[in-house]
Amino acid sequence: MKRLVVIPAALFFVLVLILALVDLAPPAFDLRPLVAENLASSGVAHPVTAVLLNYRAYDTLLEIGVLLLALMAILAVSGSPRTTSNTSLSASDPLLAMLGRIAAPVMVVVAVYLLWAGTSRPGGAFQAGAVLAALAVLLHLTGLLAGWQQPGVRLRWGLAGGFLLFLSVGALLLLVEGELLRYPPAHAGVLILLIESGLTLSLGLILAGLFLFLSHDQGGPR
Amino acid sequence: MTSGLLFACVGAGLFVMGGSGVLLLKHLLRRILAFNLMGSGAFLVLVGMAQRHGIADPVTQAMVLTGIVVAVAATALALALVRHLYRLSGKLELPEAADDD
Amino acid sequence: MSLGLSFDLLLGASLLWSGWRALSTPRLDRALVLFIVFGLLMTLTWARLAAPDIALAEAAIGAGLTGALLLDAYGVLQAKRLAAEARK
């Protein structure tokens, strides 16, 4: 039996892992003072945003690329859009629809606030994008927004826009500053806010797309 | 014991629990659940170990933030593949290889 | 034992418990709901670890979006299975 092998092995592994964690020597190099020292020239006042959009902006650039790739893979494997009847708006509960209509503008305001707050306190593009995506899912579930079938031209630009904007800012800085994504300290704040706005919109659309492209796929086994 | 170290140990437990779930469970939706538990456990270990002396570390927090967003994309991709598998074969389990077990 | 540490212990135990139940509950719909509960407990954990950024993202993504995705997939697969059984 597989179970008889896996469970003792898992117990042994977790024991060793916890012993190793408790015993681990302190790191030889501490990044925290470096983050704090350079915060003044990073363009934002919140250390997590500074790490995401300035010190390690390369990771964030690749991350939005990975998300875009995942969405394309989902579009490739999810069912072909055949009938429109499945995705037409279902006649939903009027109470739900009204609550959705009330919640929508509030959530947009929350997303914009989170985006703006990210420069100085917890918040930022990721959280704002997640709120936008949650808004799209909510509108879909209350029957106000139809599931997406095939992305049109505008939606395609919206999905890829954040990545393209990020990449073009990076390429511009490569030409001007001589290094990919090294912001000049005087303009770092504006550039980060520009990139974050693009990221918020694209992240919201991509994360919403993960749900809305999947949920139109209602067809039975063929 | 700081809360960082405590939650790192909880994360190790979750990681191993999720890992054995991925190995043992047959239903694919449950495997996706187990995979997500593994991810959460790994994130807890990362953040917990980085601040086991009690001081918050923005670098690991930012890395884990990206990780969470990538994890949801991976989950959605896995669900798309499960739906595709169901459409093609009508099954929600992977076929066992003959010489397995 | 301080209040903070006992809260952490309780939170860690409920994380492990809800994770375990999400994997072992026989009914899949309950397992998915337990997974959403797990996500919300993770949000609390991030708050305890002084990581409000991750807590915000986890609340919206880990508990909300992942839960919605899983429940939606479950609902569609269940409907398909019922339709396939009715056809037989």
Side-chain angles (χ1 to χ4, degrees), chain C residues 9-20:
Chain C
L9 280 174
L10 187 67
L11 191 56
S14 35
L15 269 178
L16 287 170
W17 181 81
S18 60
W20 169 251

Side-chain angles (χ1 to χ4, degrees), chain A residues 61-76:
Chain A
L61 174 64
L62 291 182
E63 189 233 358
I64 183 92
V66 166
L67 282 179
L68 206 55
L69 267 179
L71 189 73
M72 283 188 222
I74 286 172
L75 280 174

